[in-house]
Amino acid sequence: MVDVAWPTQEADLVALQAELAEAPPRAWSPPGRVVLGASYVCFARGAPTPGAAGDAGWAGAAVKRPGRRAVTAVVAGPAGAAYRPGLLALREGPLRAAALAALEALPDVALVDATGRDHPRRAGLALHLGAVLDVPTVGVTDRPLVAAGAWPADRRGAAAPLLAAGELVGYWLRTRPGVRPLAVHAAWRTDADSAVEVVLAAARRARTPQPLREARRDARAARGQSSAG
């Protein structure tokens, strides 16, 4: 069993990612009525670099029960490291975990604006976050990290595979016709097909899933309030 934590050093994170990739947990499939959650992080604007350690950050989390309004939480804190693709857990992992833990209850599955199996070591931040919290996760991003694949047909629900070294790690998913598809990633306890099922149901008529929109809105609002103050 992998001892999951939030490393503070690159070498330790790389080693843990390799362990997580080789220790697949029991599979998860969406139940009839899913309690959806989401995690989103934003940082202070105007920095001269893509991101440095200590940057002010705001993590939004949301949980949406069927038939109820979303409940959200926001946690503020500094970035743990500079921005580096493939090593986002160093920068924002603990902040995201704290925001989800601040909710009234953890969701059945959490949507994360980060990759999962689409990663150089097959263990991106979305997967790592799920392992820490023991919650199934799905990554939702605008583009893949290392995977590649053609866009799907221009109709709602159309999907096209994203492959990394020949492995299916996610799908391009068209949630609305006429708009850019989402990159949907298998992550902790989810595979590419269950990830698509969750995201398509959560998006409804919008491009992005509702809980992720709620978490993003509140994180950005908290950033705006901090800047105004």
Side-chain angles (χ1 to χ4, degrees):
M1 181 66 180
V2 178
D3 182 14
V4 184
W6 294 113
T8 59
Q9 301 298 317
E10 178 179 338
D12 294 334
L13 175 59
V14 168
L16 176 57
Q17 288 172 337
E19 286 188 76
L20 288 171
E22 294 299 321
R26 66 190 187 282
W28 175 86
S29 59
R33 293 171 67 83
V34 178
V35 178
L36 284 170
S39 162
Y40 181 88
V41 165
C42 61
F43 292 95
R45 294 173 174 170
T49 64
D55 288 344
W58 294 265
V63 62
K64 175 73 170 63
R65 298 182 180 278
R68 300 185 186 179
R69 298 185 64 178
V71 175
T72 60
V74 177
V75 171
Y83 169 78
R84 290 185 63 189
L87 299 171
L88 285 183
L90 294 175
R91 179 169 175 79
E92 57 195 57
L95 196 57
R96 288 179 181 270
L100 281 166
L103 295 169
E104 59 182 14
L106 289 174
D108 292 332
V109 59
L111 307 171
V112 185
D113 61 317
T115 69
R117 296 287 177 187
D118 173 21
H119 183 270
R121 290 167 291 282
R122 300 297 183 268
L125 177 55
L127 186 148
H128 191 159
L129 182 64
V132 169
L133 297 176
D134 194 24
V135 170
T137 50
V138 171
V140 184
T141 62
D142 283 330
R143 58 187 58 83
L145 181 58
V146 297
W151 280 11
D154 189 18
R155 66 175 187 278
R156 173 176 162 78
L162 284 168
L163 303 177
E167 178 186 349
L168 178 66
V169 294
Y171 284 101
W172 281 118
L173 174 64
R174 191 85 67 171
T175 51
R176 288 182 62 186
V179 300
R180 181 186 176 91
L182 297 173
V184 175
H185 308 268
W188 187 249
R189 296 187 58 198
T190 60
D191 59 23
D193 292 301
S194 62
V196 162
E197 182 180 345
V198 168
V199 171
L200 190 61
R204 298 185 180 180
R205 297 183 180 182
R207 176 175 179 262
T208 54
Q210 181 184 1
L212 197 53
R213 297 196 306 271
E214 302 270 3
R216 178 180 62 196
R217 179 201 65 200
D218 283 14
R220 289 177 173 177
R223 177 179 64 183
Q225 291 168 3
S226 176
S227 300

PDB file of all heavy atoms in Angstrom, residues 162-200:
ATOM      1  N   LEU A 162      -7.831   9.876 -26.113  1.00  0.00           N
ATOM      2  CA  LEU A 162      -6.547  10.510 -25.847  1.00  0.00           C
ATOM      3  C   LEU A 162      -5.584   9.408 -25.432  1.00  0.00           C
ATOM      4  O   LEU A 162      -5.821   8.711 -24.437  1.00  0.00           O
ATOM      5  CB  LEU A 162      -6.679  11.554 -24.742  1.00  0.00           C
ATOM      6  CG  LEU A 162      -7.337  12.881 -25.145  1.00  0.00           C
ATOM      7  CD1 LEU A 162      -7.678  13.709 -23.911  1.00  0.00           C
ATOM      8  CD2 LEU A 162      -6.410  13.666 -26.071  1.00  0.00           C
ATOM      9  N   LEU A 163      -4.509   9.253 -26.183  1.00  0.00           N
ATOM     10  CA  LEU A 163      -3.563   8.171 -25.959  1.00  0.00           C
ATOM     11  C   LEU A 163      -2.206   8.726 -25.545  1.00  0.00           C
ATOM     12  O   LEU A 163      -1.733   9.718 -26.098  1.00  0.00           O
ATOM     13  CB  LEU A 163      -3.400   7.329 -27.220  1.00  0.00           C
ATOM     14  CG  LEU A 163      -4.664   6.703 -27.812  1.00  0.00           C
ATOM     15  CD1 LEU A 163      -4.324   5.962 -29.104  1.00  0.00           C
ATOM     16  CD2 LEU A 163      -5.333   5.771 -26.817  1.00  0.00           C
ATOM     17  N   ALA A 164      -1.586   8.064 -24.582  1.00  0.00           N
ATOM     18  CA  ALA A 164      -0.226   8.372 -24.161  1.00  0.00           C
ATOM     19  C   ALA A 164       0.590   7.092 -24.286  1.00  0.00           C
ATOM     20  O   ALA A 164       0.324   6.122 -23.568  1.00  0.00           O
ATOM     21  CB  ALA A 164      -0.198   8.883 -22.729  1.00  0.00           C
ATOM     22  N   ALA A 165       1.526   7.081 -25.211  1.00  0.00           N
ATOM     23  CA  ALA A 165       2.331   5.887 -25.482  1.00  0.00           C
ATOM     24  C   ALA A 165       1.436   4.673 -25.748  1.00  0.00           C
ATOM     25  O   ALA A 165       1.715   3.560 -25.285  1.00  0.00           O
ATOM     26  CB  ALA A 165       3.290   5.609 -24.333  1.00  0.00           C
ATOM     27  N   GLY A 166       0.347   4.904 -26.475  1.00  0.00           N
ATOM     28  CA  GLY A 166      -0.563   3.833 -26.836  1.00  0.00           C
ATOM     29  C   GLY A 166      -1.591   3.470 -25.785  1.00  0.00           C
ATOM     30  O   GLY A 166      -2.464   2.632 -26.028  1.00  0.00           O
ATOM     31  N   GLU A 167      -1.527   4.091 -24.607  1.00  0.00           N
ATOM     32  CA  GLU A 167      -2.458   3.799 -23.512  1.00  0.00           C
ATOM     33  C   GLU A 167      -3.608   4.798 -23.512  1.00  0.00           C
ATOM     34  O   GLU A 167      -3.386   6.010 -23.638  1.00  0.00           O
ATOM     35  CB  GLU A 167      -1.722   3.870 -22.175  1.00  0.00           C
ATOM     36  CG  GLU A 167      -2.609   3.628 -20.955  1.00  0.00           C
ATOM     37  CD  GLU A 167      -1.870   3.841 -19.646  1.00  0.00           C
ATOM     38  OE1 GLU A 167      -0.629   3.966 -19.676  1.00  0.00           O
ATOM     39  OE2 GLU A 167      -2.535   3.883 -18.590  1.00  0.00           O
ATOM     40  N   LEU A 168      -4.826   4.302 -23.359  1.00  0.00           N
ATOM     41  CA  LEU A 168      -5.990   5.176 -23.258  1.00  0.00           C
ATOM     42  C   LEU A 168      -6.003   5.815 -21.873  1.00  0.00           C
ATOM     43  O   LEU A 168      -6.184   5.133 -20.865  1.00  0.00           O
ATOM     44  CB  LEU A 168      -7.281   4.380 -23.479  1.00  0.00           C
ATOM     45  CG  LEU A 168      -8.592   5.172 -23.342  1.00  0.00           C
ATOM     46  CD1 LEU A 168      -8.709   6.222 -24.440  1.00  0.00           C
ATOM     47  CD2 LEU A 168      -9.786   4.228 -23.381  1.00  0.00           C
ATOM     48  N   VAL A 169      -5.815   7.137 -21.826  1.00  0.00           N
ATOM     49  CA  VAL A 169      -5.759   7.837 -20.541  1.00  0.00           C
ATOM     50  C   VAL A 169      -6.892   8.845 -20.383  1.00  0.00           C
ATOM     51  O   VAL A 169      -7.042   9.462 -19.325  1.00  0.00           O
ATOM     52  CB  VAL A 169      -4.407   8.557 -20.360  1.00  0.00           C
ATOM     53  CG1 VAL A 169      -3.273   7.548 -20.265  1.00  0.00           C
ATOM     54  CG2 VAL A 169      -4.155   9.558 -21.486  1.00  0.00           C
ATOM     55  N   GLY A 170      -7.693   9.012 -21.409  1.00  0.00           N
ATOM     56  CA  GLY A 170      -8.803   9.951 -21.338  1.00  0.00           C
ATOM     57  C   GLY A 170      -9.461  10.102 -22.687  1.00  0.00           C
ATOM     58  O   GLY A 170      -9.210   9.315 -23.613  1.00  0.00           O
ATOM     59  N   TYR A 171     -10.309  11.108 -22.784  1.00  0.00           N
ATOM     60  CA  TYR A 171     -11.005  11.392 -24.044  1.00  0.00           C
ATOM     61  C   TYR A 171     -11.109  12.897 -24.252  1.00  0.00           C
ATOM     62  O   TYR A 171     -11.230  13.664 -23.279  1.00  0.00           O
ATOM     63  CB  TYR A 171     -12.439  10.852 -24.003  1.00  0.00           C
ATOM     64  CG  TYR A 171     -12.594   9.368 -24.171  1.00  0.00           C
ATOM     65  CD1 TYR A 171     -12.817   8.549 -23.064  1.00  0.00           C
ATOM     66  CD2 TYR A 171     -12.548   8.772 -25.430  1.00  0.00           C
ATOM     67  CE1 TYR A 171     -12.997   7.183 -23.205  1.00  0.00           C
ATOM     68  CE2 TYR A 171     -12.714   7.402 -25.578  1.00  0.00           C
ATOM     69  CZ  TYR A 171     -12.942   6.615 -24.465  1.00  0.00           C
ATOM     70  OH  TYR A 171     -13.109   5.267 -24.616  1.00  0.00           O
ATOM     71  N   TRP A 172     -11.078  13.298 -25.511  1.00  0.00           N
ATOM     72  CA  TRP A 172     -11.673  14.571 -25.856  1.00  0.00           C
ATOM     73  C   TRP A 172     -13.180  14.382 -25.783  1.00  0.00           C
ATOM     74  O   TRP A 172     -13.706  13.408 -26.327  1.00  0.00           O
ATOM     75  CB  TRP A 172     -11.314  14.984 -27.274  1.00  0.00           C
ATOM     76  CG  TRP A 172      -9.960  15.568 -27.511  1.00  0.00           C
ATOM     77  CD1 TRP A 172      -8.972  15.056 -28.308  1.00  0.00           C
ATOM     78  CD2 TRP A 172      -9.452  16.805 -26.999  1.00  0.00           C
ATOM     79  NE1 TRP A 172      -7.879  15.886 -28.314  1.00  0.00           N
ATOM     80  CE2 TRP A 172      -8.154  16.973 -27.523  1.00  0.00           C
ATOM     81  CE3 TRP A 172      -9.973  17.789 -26.150  1.00  0.00           C
ATOM     82  CZ2 TRP A 172      -7.355  18.077 -27.229  1.00  0.00           C
ATOM     83  CZ3 TRP A 172      -9.186  18.890 -25.845  1.00  0.00           C
ATOM     84  CH2 TRP A 172      -7.900  19.034 -26.384  1.00  0.00           C
ATOM     85  N   LEU A 173     -13.889  15.296 -25.130  1.00  0.00           N
ATOM     86  CA  LEU A 173     -15.333  15.168 -24.979  1.00  0.00           C
ATOM     87  C   LEU A 173     -16.005  16.460 -25.413  1.00  0.00           C
ATOM     88  O   LEU A 173     -15.676  17.540 -24.917  1.00  0.00           O
ATOM     89  CB  LEU A 173     -15.712  14.867 -23.528  1.00  0.00           C
ATOM     90  CG  LEU A 173     -17.208  14.856 -23.207  1.00  0.00           C
ATOM     91  CD1 LEU A 173     -17.922  13.728 -23.966  1.00  0.00           C
ATOM     92  CD2 LEU A 173     -17.442  14.733 -21.707  1.00  0.00           C
ATOM     93  N   ARG A 174     -16.962  16.349 -26.307  1.00  0.00           N
ATOM     94  CA  ARG A 174     -17.725  17.506 -26.765  1.00  0.00           C
ATOM     95  C   ARG A 174     -18.982  17.620 -25.891  1.00  0.00           C
ATOM     96  O   ARG A 174     -19.907  16.828 -26.009  1.00  0.00           O
ATOM     97  CB  ARG A 174     -18.120  17.341 -28.225  1.00  0.00           C
ATOM     98  CG  ARG A 174     -18.683  18.602 -28.863  1.00  0.00           C
ATOM     99  CD  ARG A 174     -17.597  19.510 -29.384  1.00  0.00           C
ATOM    100  NE  ARG A 174     -16.876  18.927 -30.511  1.00  0.00           N
ATOM    101  CZ  ARG A 174     -15.986  19.586 -31.251  1.00  0.00           C
ATOM    102  NH1 ARG A 174     -15.715  20.851 -30.980  1.00  0.00           N
ATOM    103  NH2 ARG A 174     -15.346  18.997 -32.244  1.00  0.00           N
ATOM    104  N   THR A 175     -18.991  18.592 -24.994  1.00  0.00           N
ATOM    105  CA  THR A 175     -20.148  18.790 -24.120  1.00  0.00           C
ATOM    106  C   THR A 175     -21.208  19.680 -24.760  1.00  0.00           C
ATOM    107  O   THR A 175     -22.365  19.658 -24.350  1.00  0.00           O
ATOM    108  CB  THR A 175     -19.719  19.415 -22.785  1.00  0.00           C
ATOM    109  OG1 THR A 175     -18.912  20.567 -23.057  1.00  0.00           O
ATOM    110  CG2 THR A 175     -18.917  18.416 -21.956  1.00  0.00           C
ATOM    111  N   ARG A 176     -20.794  20.477 -25.727  1.00  0.00           N
ATOM    112  CA  ARG A 176     -21.716  21.320 -26.491  1.00  0.00           C
ATOM    113  C   ARG A 176     -21.225  21.399 -27.927  1.00  0.00           C
ATOM    114  O   ARG A 176     -20.013  21.495 -28.155  1.00  0.00           O
ATOM    115  CB  ARG A 176     -21.787  22.747 -25.922  1.00  0.00           C
ATOM    116  CG  ARG A 176     -22.504  22.883 -24.607  1.00  0.00           C
ATOM    117  CD  ARG A 176     -22.542  24.343 -24.178  1.00  0.00           C
ATOM    118  NE  ARG A 176     -23.275  25.173 -25.140  1.00  0.00           N
ATOM    119  CZ  ARG A 176     -23.353  26.502 -25.067  1.00  0.00           C
ATOM    120  NH1 ARG A 176     -22.714  27.158 -24.105  1.00  0.00           N
ATOM    121  NH2 ARG A 176     -24.049  27.168 -25.962  1.00  0.00           N
ATOM    122  N   PRO A 177     -22.136  21.403 -28.891  1.00  0.00           N
ATOM    123  CA  PRO A 177     -21.689  21.593 -30.270  1.00  0.00           C
ATOM    124  C   PRO A 177     -21.216  23.027 -30.478  1.00  0.00           C
ATOM    125  O   PRO A 177     -21.696  23.955 -29.838  1.00  0.00           O
ATOM    126  CB  PRO A 177     -22.946  21.292 -31.100  1.00  0.00           C
ATOM    127  CG  PRO A 177     -24.086  21.530 -30.165  1.00  0.00           C
ATOM    128  CD  PRO A 177     -23.595  21.163 -28.808  1.00  0.00           C
ATOM    129  N   GLY A 178     -20.243  23.195 -31.345  1.00  0.00           N
ATOM    130  CA  GLY A 178     -19.780  24.526 -31.690  1.00  0.00           C
ATOM    131  C   GLY A 178     -18.776  25.128 -30.741  1.00  0.00           C
ATOM    132  O   GLY A 178     -18.380  26.285 -30.916  1.00  0.00           O
ATOM    133  N   VAL A 179     -18.362  24.398 -29.695  1.00  0.00           N
ATOM    134  CA  VAL A 179     -17.358  24.914 -28.763  1.00  0.00           C
ATOM    135  C   VAL A 179     -16.234  23.889 -28.647  1.00  0.00           C
ATOM    136  O   VAL A 179     -16.389  22.716 -28.980  1.00  0.00           O
ATOM    137  CB  VAL A 179     -17.954  25.208 -27.369  1.00  0.00           C
ATOM    138  CG1 VAL A 179     -19.061  26.245 -27.459  1.00  0.00           C
ATOM    139  CG2 VAL A 179     -18.472  23.936 -26.711  1.00  0.00           C
ATOM    140  N   ARG A 180     -15.097  24.350 -28.143  1.00  0.00           N
ATOM    141  CA  ARG A 180     -13.932  23.481 -27.992  1.00  0.00           C
ATOM    142  C   ARG A 180     -14.258  22.327 -27.038  1.00  0.00           C
ATOM    143  O   ARG A 180     -14.866  22.530 -25.983  1.00  0.00           O
ATOM    144  CB  ARG A 180     -12.759  24.300 -27.434  1.00  0.00           C
ATOM    145  CG  ARG A 180     -11.472  23.519 -27.240  1.00  0.00           C
ATOM    146  CD  ARG A 180     -10.414  24.376 -26.560  1.00  0.00           C
ATOM    147  NE  ARG A 180      -9.207  23.610 -26.290  1.00  0.00           N
ATOM    148  CZ  ARG A 180      -8.164  23.508 -27.110  1.00  0.00           C
ATOM    149  NH1 ARG A 180      -8.194  24.157 -28.263  1.00  0.00           N
ATOM    150  NH2 ARG A 180      -7.112  22.776 -26.800  1.00  0.00           N
ATOM    151  N   PRO A 181     -13.857  21.111 -27.390  1.00  0.00           N
ATOM    152  CA  PRO A 181     -14.093  19.987 -26.473  1.00  0.00           C
ATOM    153  C   PRO A 181     -13.210  20.085 -25.238  1.00  0.00           C
ATOM    154  O   PRO A 181     -12.209  20.807 -25.220  1.00  0.00           O
ATOM    155  CB  PRO A 181     -13.724  18.760 -27.318  1.00  0.00           C
ATOM    156  CG  PRO A 181     -12.742  19.270 -28.313  1.00  0.00           C
ATOM    157  CD  PRO A 181     -13.170  20.680 -28.628  1.00  0.00           C
ATOM    158  N   LEU A 182     -13.591  19.352 -24.196  1.00  0.00           N
ATOM    159  CA  LEU A 182     -12.804  19.245 -22.980  1.00  0.00           C
ATOM    160  C   LEU A 182     -11.904  18.013 -23.051  1.00  0.00           C
ATOM    161  O   LEU A 182     -12.270  17.001 -23.650  1.00  0.00           O
ATOM    162  CB  LEU A 182     -13.716  19.110 -21.757  1.00  0.00           C
ATOM    163  CG  LEU A 182     -14.650  20.275 -21.445  1.00  0.00           C
ATOM    164  CD1 LEU A 182     -15.594  19.876 -20.313  1.00  0.00           C
ATOM    165  CD2 LEU A 182     -13.863  21.519 -21.064  1.00  0.00           C
ATOM    166  N   ALA A 183     -10.756  18.102 -22.415  1.00  0.00           N
ATOM    167  CA  ALA A 183      -9.934  16.914 -22.195  1.00  0.00           C
ATOM    168  C   ALA A 183     -10.350  16.316 -20.854  1.00  0.00           C
ATOM    169  O   ALA A 183     -10.247  16.969 -19.818  1.00  0.00           O
ATOM    170  CB  ALA A 183      -8.459  17.275 -22.180  1.00  0.00           C
ATOM    171  N   VAL A 184     -10.872  15.103 -20.890  1.00  0.00           N
ATOM    172  CA  VAL A 184     -11.394  14.429 -19.699  1.00  0.00           C
ATOM    173  C   VAL A 184     -10.449  13.278 -19.369  1.00  0.00           C
ATOM    174  O   VAL A 184     -10.157  12.440 -20.223  1.00  0.00           O
ATOM    175  CB  VAL A 184     -12.826  13.920 -19.948  1.00  0.00           C
ATOM    176  CG1 VAL A 184     -13.332  13.110 -18.757  1.00  0.00           C
ATOM    177  CG2 VAL A 184     -13.755  15.089 -20.233  1.00  0.00           C
ATOM    178  N   HIS A 185      -9.990  13.240 -18.115  1.00  0.00           N
ATOM    179  CA  HIS A 185      -8.898  12.353 -17.738  1.00  0.00           C
ATOM    180  C   HIS A 185      -9.307  11.294 -16.712  1.00  0.00           C
ATOM    181  O   HIS A 185      -9.903  11.625 -15.682  1.00  0.00           O
ATOM    182  CB  HIS A 185      -7.755  13.172 -17.130  1.00  0.00           C
ATOM    183  CG  HIS A 185      -7.317  14.313 -17.969  1.00  0.00           C
ATOM    184  ND1 HIS A 185      -6.298  14.229 -18.884  1.00  0.00           N
ATOM    185  CD2 HIS A 185      -7.772  15.600 -18.035  1.00  0.00           C
ATOM    186  CE1 HIS A 185      -6.124  15.401 -19.477  1.00  0.00           C
ATOM    187  NE2 HIS A 185      -7.016  16.249 -18.980  1.00  0.00           N
ATOM    188  N   ALA A 186      -8.934  10.064 -16.973  1.00  0.00           N
ATOM    189  CA  ALA A 186      -9.010   9.034 -15.944  1.00  0.00           C
ATOM    190  C   ALA A 186      -8.067   9.421 -14.812  1.00  0.00           C
ATOM    191  O   ALA A 186      -6.964   9.911 -15.052  1.00  0.00           O
ATOM    192  CB  ALA A 186      -8.599   7.682 -16.522  1.00  0.00           C
ATOM    193  N   ALA A 187      -8.506   9.216 -13.567  1.00  0.00           N
ATOM    194  CA  ALA A 187      -7.678   9.609 -12.431  1.00  0.00           C
ATOM    195  C   ALA A 187      -7.794   8.552 -11.332  1.00  0.00           C
ATOM    196  O   ALA A 187      -7.702   7.363 -11.597  1.00  0.00           O
ATOM    197  CB  ALA A 187      -8.059  11.012 -11.948  1.00  0.00           C
ATOM    198  N   TRP A 188      -8.039   8.959 -10.093  1.00  0.00           N
ATOM    199  CA  TRP A 188      -8.065   8.001  -8.987  1.00  0.00           C
ATOM    200  C   TRP A 188      -9.365   7.208  -8.992  1.00  0.00           C
ATOM    201  O   TRP A 188     -10.442   7.760  -8.892  1.00  0.00           O
ATOM    202  CB  TRP A 188      -7.904   8.725  -7.655  1.00  0.00           C
ATOM    203  CG  TRP A 188      -7.743   7.806  -6.468  1.00  0.00           C
ATOM    204  CD1 TRP A 188      -8.644   7.610  -5.461  1.00  0.00           C
ATOM    205  CD2 TRP A 188      -6.629   6.966  -6.172  1.00  0.00           C
ATOM    206  NE1 TRP A 188      -8.152   6.699  -4.552  1.00  0.00           N
ATOM    207  CE2 TRP A 188      -6.908   6.280  -4.969  1.00  0.00           C
ATOM    208  CE3 TRP A 188      -5.411   6.710  -6.822  1.00  0.00           C
ATOM    209  CZ2 TRP A 188      -6.013   5.375  -4.404  1.00  0.00           C
ATOM    210  CZ3 TRP A 188      -4.525   5.802  -6.249  1.00  0.00           C
ATOM    211  CH2 TRP A 188      -4.838   5.152  -5.054  1.00  0.00           C
ATOM    212  N   ARG A 189      -9.264   5.904  -9.146  1.00  0.00           N
ATOM    213  CA  ARG A 189     -10.369   4.946  -9.142  1.00  0.00           C
ATOM    214  C   ARG A 189     -11.325   5.099 -10.325  1.00  0.00           C
ATOM    215  O   ARG A 189     -12.363   4.447 -10.362  1.00  0.00           O
ATOM    216  CB  ARG A 189     -11.156   4.998  -7.827  1.00  0.00           C
ATOM    217  CG  ARG A 189     -10.345   4.581  -6.600  1.00  0.00           C
ATOM    218  CD  ARG A 189     -11.214   4.497  -5.363  1.00  0.00           C
ATOM    219  NE  ARG A 189     -12.313   3.563  -5.559  1.00  0.00           N
ATOM    220  CZ  ARG A 189     -13.414   3.512  -4.827  1.00  0.00           C
ATOM    221  NH1 ARG A 189     -13.566   4.379  -3.829  1.00  0.00           N
ATOM    222  NH2 ARG A 189     -14.361   2.633  -5.065  1.00  0.00           N
ATOM    223  N   THR A 190     -11.021   5.950 -11.281  1.00  0.00           N
ATOM    224  CA  THR A 190     -11.867   6.091 -12.459  1.00  0.00           C
ATOM    225  C   THR A 190     -11.092   5.711 -13.705  1.00  0.00           C
ATOM    226  O   THR A 190      -9.870   5.880 -13.765  1.00  0.00           O
ATOM    227  CB  THR A 190     -12.380   7.536 -12.618  1.00  0.00           C
ATOM    228  OG1 THR A 190     -11.262   8.429 -12.754  1.00  0.00           O
ATOM    229  CG2 THR A 190     -13.222   7.958 -11.423  1.00  0.00           C
ATOM    230  N   ASP A 191     -11.808   5.194 -14.699  1.00  0.00           N
ATOM    231  CA  ASP A 191     -11.186   4.959 -15.997  1.00  0.00           C
ATOM    232  C   ASP A 191     -11.712   5.997 -16.982  1.00  0.00           C
ATOM    233  O   ASP A 191     -12.538   6.853 -16.629  1.00  0.00           O
ATOM    234  CB  ASP A 191     -11.449   3.528 -16.486  1.00  0.00           C
ATOM    235  CG  ASP A 191     -12.932   3.191 -16.634  1.00  0.00           C
ATOM    236  OD1 ASP A 191     -13.767   4.109 -16.798  1.00  0.00           O
ATOM    237  OD2 ASP A 191     -13.259   1.992 -16.612  1.00  0.00           O
ATOM    238  N   ALA A 192     -11.233   5.949 -18.199  1.00  0.00           N
ATOM    239  CA  ALA A 192     -11.595   6.979 -19.172  1.00  0.00           C
ATOM    240  C   ALA A 192     -13.094   6.998 -19.457  1.00  0.00           C
ATOM    241  O   ALA A 192     -13.694   8.070 -19.610  1.00  0.00           O
ATOM    242  CB  ALA A 192     -10.804   6.756 -20.463  1.00  0.00           C
ATOM    243  N   ASP A 193     -13.725   5.840 -19.501  1.00  0.00           N
ATOM    244  CA  ASP A 193     -15.153   5.787 -19.830  1.00  0.00           C
ATOM    245  C   ASP A 193     -16.025   6.310 -18.691  1.00  0.00           C
ATOM    246  O   ASP A 193     -16.983   7.064 -18.924  1.00  0.00           O
ATOM    247  CB  ASP A 193     -15.554   4.354 -20.197  1.00  0.00           C
ATOM    248  CG  ASP A 193     -14.932   3.910 -21.509  1.00  0.00           C
ATOM    249  OD1 ASP A 193     -15.179   4.571 -22.529  1.00  0.00           O
ATOM    250  OD2 ASP A 193     -14.192   2.919 -21.511  1.00  0.00           O
ATOM    251  N   SER A 194     -15.716   5.939 -17.453  1.00  0.00           N
ATOM    252  CA  SER A 194     -16.514   6.452 -16.340  1.00  0.00           C
ATOM    253  C   SER A 194     -16.280   7.954 -16.172  1.00  0.00           C
ATOM    254  O   SER A 194     -17.190   8.696 -15.782  1.00  0.00           O
ATOM    255  CB  SER A 194     -16.175   5.711 -15.040  1.00  0.00           C
ATOM    256  OG  SER A 194     -14.819   5.879 -14.663  1.00  0.00           O
ATOM    257  N   ALA A 195     -15.076   8.430 -16.498  1.00  0.00           N
ATOM    258  CA  ALA A 195     -14.797   9.860 -16.429  1.00  0.00           C
ATOM    259  C   ALA A 195     -15.686  10.631 -17.396  1.00  0.00           C
ATOM    260  O   ALA A 195     -16.265  11.669 -17.045  1.00  0.00           O
ATOM    261  CB  ALA A 195     -13.323  10.116 -16.730  1.00  0.00           C
ATOM    262  N   VAL A 196     -15.818  10.135 -18.613  1.00  0.00           N
ATOM    263  CA  VAL A 196     -16.682  10.787 -19.600  1.00  0.00           C
ATOM    264  C   VAL A 196     -18.129  10.791 -19.134  1.00  0.00           C
ATOM    265  O   VAL A 196     -18.839  11.807 -19.262  1.00  0.00           O
ATOM    266  CB  VAL A 196     -16.544  10.088 -20.969  1.00  0.00           C
ATOM    267  CG1 VAL A 196     -17.705  10.441 -21.879  1.00  0.00           C
ATOM    268  CG2 VAL A 196     -15.240  10.473 -21.631  1.00  0.00           C
ATOM    269  N   GLU A 197     -18.583   9.699 -18.583  1.00  0.00           N
ATOM    270  CA  GLU A 197     -19.963   9.610 -18.105  1.00  0.00           C
ATOM    271  C   GLU A 197     -20.258  10.661 -17.046  1.00  0.00           C
ATOM    272  O   GLU A 197     -21.291  11.338 -17.079  1.00  0.00           O
ATOM    273  CB  GLU A 197     -20.224   8.205 -17.546  1.00  0.00           C
ATOM    274  CG  GLU A 197     -21.655   7.986 -17.068  1.00  0.00           C
ATOM    275  CD  GLU A 197     -21.880   6.588 -16.527  1.00  0.00           C
ATOM    276  OE1 GLU A 197     -21.035   5.695 -16.773  1.00  0.00           O
ATOM    277  OE2 GLU A 197     -22.914   6.372 -15.844  1.00  0.00           O
ATOM    278  N   VAL A 198     -19.344  10.822 -16.106  1.00  0.00           N
ATOM    279  CA  VAL A 198     -19.532  11.791 -15.025  1.00  0.00           C
ATOM    280  C   VAL A 198     -19.532  13.225 -15.569  1.00  0.00           C
ATOM    281  O   VAL A 198     -20.397  14.035 -15.233  1.00  0.00           O
ATOM    282  CB  VAL A 198     -18.418  11.629 -13.966  1.00  0.00           C
ATOM    283  CG1 VAL A 198     -18.428  12.805 -12.990  1.00  0.00           C
ATOM    284  CG2 VAL A 198     -18.602  10.330 -13.207  1.00  0.00           C
ATOM    285  N   VAL A 199     -18.573  13.547 -16.411  1.00  0.00           N
ATOM    286  CA  VAL A 199     -18.447  14.916 -16.908  1.00  0.00           C
ATOM    287  C   VAL A 199     -19.623  15.295 -17.794  1.00  0.00           C
ATOM    288  O   VAL A 199     -20.165  16.406 -17.683  1.00  0.00           O
ATOM    289  CB  VAL A 199     -17.113  15.094 -17.657  1.00  0.00           C
ATOM    290  CG1 VAL A 199     -17.064  16.448 -18.365  1.00  0.00           C
ATOM    291  CG2 VAL A 199     -15.951  14.968 -16.687  1.00  0.00           C
ATOM    292  N   LEU A 200     -20.049  14.417 -18.658  1.00  0.00           N
ATOM    293  CA  LEU A 200     -21.160  14.739 -19.551  1.00  0.00           C
ATOM    294  C   LEU A 200     -22.438  14.995 -18.766  1.00  0.00           C
ATOM    295  O   LEU A 200     -23.185  15.937 -19.054  1.00  0.00           O
ATOM    296  CB  LEU A 200     -21.366  13.608 -20.559  1.00  0.00           C
ATOM    297  CG  LEU A 200     -22.334  13.906 -21.708  1.00  0.00           C
ATOM    298  CD1 LEU A 200     -21.846  15.088 -22.536  1.00  0.00           C
ATOM    299  CD2 LEU A 200     -22.487  12.669 -22.586  1.00  0.00           C
TER     300      LEU A 200
END
